[in-house]
């Protein structure tokens, strides 16, 4: 577990002082640690990650809406998707040194979990979720914009990774409503080191399969494969 000194150190980096420090601890606790120590499910950061994902979407949407008052909806959507994606969140989390604070199981620690992009990105979302519960919307939005400041600046000048899921949606729905879904074809490996295989299905037809160490990564790779194939 993390010492009070380490928690204070991270709080200072986030520029947010938690009233309930257990929320920060939970945001940093990976399921591998919970599973190895037979703790209750709610001790890991997955629920906070779920909440933080929605808060980040809302915070960036709010920012872009008022920042670019004459920009159309489709462009705003692509901009947000480029900012709130695994690659961007991981980059910002690494800039904070977030991997050093993760609470991992021994297996995940041994397999380089502290450097894994998907794990760092998930922790960023969980931390934002924790701040939202601890302090509400305003500090959560403020912290989100602070953490993602460099990414937001790069996105504004087109220097950020492409979000292929958004590009696929835009491409295939240009001529009307189209059914687009991503389905897990299979999973391999132990819980602390899984590999996901995800199919991109459009109008009931599988057009591509992506592989990644997280579902988000595999979805992006499936979307990239389909988008760049020109089908």
């Amino acid at each position: 577990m993390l010492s009070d000194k380490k928690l204070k150190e991270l709080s200072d980096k986030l520029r947010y002082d938690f009233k309930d420090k257990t929320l920060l601890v939970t945001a940093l606790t990976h399921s591998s640690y919970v599973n190895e120590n037979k703790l209750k499910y709610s001790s890991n950061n997955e629920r906070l990650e779920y909440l933080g994902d929605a808060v980040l979407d809302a915070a960036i949407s709010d920012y872009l809406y008022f920042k670019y008052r004459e920009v159309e909806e489709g462009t705003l959507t692509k901009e947000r998707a480029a900012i709130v994606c695994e690659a961007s969140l991981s980059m910002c989390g690494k800039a904070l040194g977030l991997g050093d604070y993760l609470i991992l199981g021994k297996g995940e620690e041994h397999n380089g979990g502290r450097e894994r992009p998907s794990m760092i990105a998930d922790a960023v979302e969980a931390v934002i979720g924790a701040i939202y519960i601890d302090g509400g919307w305003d500090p959560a939005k403020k912290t989100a914009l602070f953490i993602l400041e460099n990414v937001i600046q790069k996105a504004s000048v087109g220097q950020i990774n492409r979000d292929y899921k958004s590009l696929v949606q835009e491409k295939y729905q240009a001529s009307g409503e189209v059914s687009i879904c991503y389905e897990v074809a299979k999973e391999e490996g132990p819980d602390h080191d899984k590999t996901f295989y995800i199919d991109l299905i459009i109008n009931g037809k599988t057009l591509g399969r992506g592989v990644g160490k997280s579902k988000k990564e595999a979805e992006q790779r499936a979307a990239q494969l389909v988008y760049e194939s020109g089908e």
Side-chain angles (χ1 to χ4, degrees):
M1 296 297 288
L2 293 174
S3 65
D4 288 342
K5 180 180 179 181
K6 293 290 284 184
L7 290 173
K8 178 63 166 57
E9 183 179 278
L10 179 56
S11 293
D12 289 344
K13 288 183 178 182
L14 294 168
R15 300 181 184 177
Y16 179 78
D17 187 21
F18 279 84
K19 296 185 285 291
D20 181 0
K21 290 182 175 56
T22 62
L23 284 167
L24 179 56
V25 172
T26 302
L28 299 168
T29 303
H30 188 253
S31 58
S32 61
Y33 180 87
V34 170
N35 293 337
E36 284 187 15
N37 290 278
K38 296 181 171 55
L39 303 176
K40 58 184 180 180
Y41 169 78
S42 58
S43 299
N44 74 40
N45 65 3
E46 291 176 357
R47 283 169 52 85
L48 285 175
E49 174 198 339
Y50 157 80
L51 180 61
D53 179 47
V55 174
L56 275 168
D57 266 355
I60 298 303
S61 296
D62 179 276
Y63 170 81
L64 294 174
Y65 180 85
F66 290 105
K67 175 73 172 179
Y68 303 107
R69 294 180 179 271
E70 301 301 323
V71 174
E72 64 181 13
E73 180 265 348
T75 301
L76 293 175
T77 298
K78 286 191 289 185
E79 191 90 346
R80 181 187 63 197
I83 294 169
V84 187
C85 68
E86 182 177 295
S88 297
L89 295 179
S90 173
M91 180 176 70
C92 294
K94 286 182 177 179
L96 285 170
L98 197 56
D100 295 338
Y101 302 93
L102 296 179
I103 302 170
L104 307 175
K106 294 178 181 177
E108 192 61 62
E109 181 86 53
H110 178 72
N111 283 284
R114 293 190 186 280
E115 299 298 322
R116 186 169 296 160
S118 61
M119 198 167 297
I120 294 174
D122 290 346
V124 170
E125 292 176 335
V127 165
I128 295 299
I131 293 174
Y132 176 76
I133 292 177
D134 191 69
W137 167 249
D138 286 340
K141 177 188 172 185
K142 182 178 179 181
T143 304
L145 295 180
F146 163 65
I147 290 175
L148 295 172
E149 181 179 8
N150 288 337
V151 168
I152 291 170
Q153 291 177 353
K154 288 182 178 180
S156 69
V157 292
Q159 295 179 347
I160 200 67
N161 293 325
R162 306 179 87 185
D163 179 69
Y164 285 98
K165 289 181 67 176
S166 294
L167 291 172
V168 164
Q169 184 172 340
E170 180 182 3
K171 175 181 177 180
Y172 286 92
Q173 292 185 341
S175 57
E177 194 64 30
V178 174
S179 171
I180 300 174
C181 65
Y182 296 83
E183 292 186 0
V184 177
K186 63 177 179 177
E187 301 177 12
E188 292 181 343
D191 287 343
H192 66 268
D193 190 25
K194 277 190 178 298
T195 298
F196 295 91
Y197 298 77
I198 291 184
D199 291 337
L200 171 50
I201 303 170
I202 298 179
N203 284 342
K205 181 181 179 181
T206 301
L207 297 186
R209 174 173 292 183
V211 183
K213 300 305 292 183
S214 71
K215 290 180 181 179
K216 292 178 182 177
E217 180 185 1
E219 287 173 355
Q220 281 290 339
R221 290 184 174 176
Q224 179 178 1
L225 177 66
V226 171
Y227 182 79
E228 293 181 345
S229 70
E231 288 192 35

